[in-house]
Amino acid sequence: MVLQRPRLAVLGSPIGHSKSPDLHRAAYDVLGLDWEYGREEVAEAELPAYLDGLGEEWRGLSLTMPLKKAVIPLLTDIDRVAAETGAANTVLFDGEEVRGFNTDVGGIVRALSAAGLERVRYVHILGGGATAASALVAAAELGAERVDLHVRDLEKSLSLEPPAHGLGLRIRIRSFLQADRSLDVPELVISTLPGDVSIPVLYTDSTRRKAVLLDVAYEPWPTTLAKAWQSVGGTVVSGLGMLVHQALLQVRVFVSGDPLEPLPDEEAVLRAMLAVAAVDAAGAPLDAAAAHTPGTPPDGAAVDAAGAPLDAAAAHTPGTPPDGAAVDAAGTSLDAAAAHTPGTPPDGAAGTSLDAAAAGA
């Protein structure tokens, strides 16, 4: 029997913008795994039939909106974080088991840690969907005591109160317009809103300077909210940082079945994924010089036959001196001391060659 190539994919609707295929392929290349990872447009109502139709070659799935909550009743087992959030963004086919995991929480925590924020007391969360539930759990893991959840529809978001209380959080659910009317300034604002949504949140300049913003959106970037933070020099962590870190945890699940089990050579895997996303570990964009493919020189750099970069001295044609170098009649390079006319001192020397002390006589 011919073994089929293991398959994975990211599902959602819309899905065309997803960067997950590029991130996962970069990881599996480093790990030396010949796994196929694609993307599929799947609406919420289509998910049960889609899962039923998958063959034995399928290893797992990444899920984005609107499938993270819809998948829960279709799973045979879920991890602690998926249970706490009521949402799973990762599915592992493990024999007869269909196991669900939530790596969004870990992605948030790891991205903020990379940006230097490891403990908070008071957090604002914008939005009330599945990612907001993950943001609640992440806030608890960061040590938060209080969370203000700012939403459009207060009634729809009341379902987040019980899990927040279960996490030991004091939560207030309020409208967007009340976001900056608290007496205390939050250390962290997490926006879970789509990047193209108009943000009716009017944080003051002072709040934007003091609070770190994690904006989970990354398309388009920067978002309106991120621009407002950047305009006053505030700290912004982009959604790409979270995306890369949650994808790394998904790779752990697909490789070992455990999001807590580090990968072989995990640092190299993370570097490759960050390079694909063109961000650093905190989600900050890399400059053009740093954003090229790892292991290759920047565009326009001089390279040898193997593609290795050459320094300026080595980049000239072999057997010839560098451009502008002094040469003898045979083309042999002359050093500076030998390049002047025989019998005369080098340019700038005083008459007959004198040392510095004698040159002033």
Side-chain angles (χ1 to χ4, degrees):
M1 182 179 70
V2 177
L3 294 177
Q4 291 182 290
R5 185 184 185 194
R7 294 185 64 185
L8 305 109
V10 58
L11 312 183
S13 183
I15 199 62
H17 69 285
S18 176
K19 297 183 183 295
S20 291
D22 292 336
L23 294 174
H24 279 261
R25 290 167 190 160
Y28 304 133
D29 282 347
V30 173
L31 293 169
L33 297 172
D34 184 24
W35 289 3
E36 178 183 345
Y37 190 105
R39 61 164 63 86
E40 296 286 344
E41 184 88 17
V42 177
E44 183 174 343
E46 300 169 331
L47 184 59
Y50 184 90
L51 293 181
D52 286 342
L54 297 180
E56 293 183 356
E57 73 275 16
W58 283 87
R59 175 67 177 164
L61 300 168
S62 306
L63 303 179
T64 186
M65 297 303 294
L67 306 179
K68 296 180 183 182
K69 288 183 177 291
V71 76
I72 294 294
L74 307 176
L75 303 170
T76 59
D77 179 62
I78 57 175
D79 75 343
R80 173 189 63 82
V81 186
E84 289 176 341
T85 59
N89 70 328
T90 309
V91 175
L92 177 68
F93 300 110
D94 187 10
E96 297 298 316
E97 298 292 313
V98 183
R99 301 168 59 196
F101 301 81
N102 183 308
T103 67
D104 282 337
V105 171
I108 292 171
V109 172
R110 287 169 61 98
L112 289 170
S113 177
L117 188 65
E118 297 186 342
R119 299 292 295 177
V120 295
R121 183 182 61 85
Y122 179 35
V123 178
H124 281 193
I125 298 172
L126 309 181
T131 306
S134 294
L136 273 176
V137 177
E141 292 197 2
L142 290 166
E145 300 169 2
R146 293 193 294 145
V147 172
D148 285 357
L149 186 68
H150 295 281
V151 297
R152 294 184 190 277
D153 191 325
L154 297 176
E155 194 168 321
K156 281 186 178 180
S157 302
L158 291 176
S159 62
L160 291 172
E161 279 190 335
H165 293 151
L167 294 165
L169 295 170
R170 286 182 287 152
I171 185 172
R172 295 188 299 182
I173 300 178
R174 315 176 83 188
S175 74
F176 282 127
L177 296 179
Q178 293 175 292
D180 206 31
R181 295 183 183 176
S182 300
L183 294 177
D184 296 333
V185 174
E187 295 106 318
L188 173 64
V189 176
I190 303 176
S191 173
T192 68
L193 303 172
D196 57 356
V197 168
S198 176
I199 309 292
V201 179
L202 302 176
Y203 282 101
T204 64
D205 288 358
S206 176
T207 297
R208 284 180 275 139
R209 289 191 185 99
K210 294 176 181 177
V212 173
L213 171 68
L214 169 61
D215 196 332
V216 303
Y218 59 84
E219 187 70 31
W221 186 262
T223 63
T224 302
L225 201 59
K227 287 178 183 177
W229 242 258
Q230 292 169 341
S231 70
V232 296
T235 300
V236 179
V237 179
S238 95
L240 280 174
M242 172 192 167
L243 179 71
V244 171
H245 286 291
Q246 67 81 25
L248 179 76
L249 299 180
Q250 286 186 331
V251 174
R252 286 182 179 180
V253 169
F254 296 146
V255 170
S256 71
D258 185 353
L260 302 180
E261 179 67 29
L263 297 164
D265 202 7
E266 183 161 288
E267 289 187 7
V269 174
L270 179 58
R271 283 197 302 270
M273 297 173 81
L274 290 169
V276 166
V279 294
D280 65 16
L286 299 177
D287 60 26
H292 66 275
T293 304
T296 66
D299 292 344
V303 297
D304 65 15
L310 300 174
D311 60 23
H316 64 275
T317 304
T320 66
D323 292 344
V327 297
D328 64 15
T332 303
S333 298
L334 301 175
D335 61 23
H340 64 276
T341 304
T344 66
D347 292 344
T352 303
S353 295
L354 303 172
D355 62 23

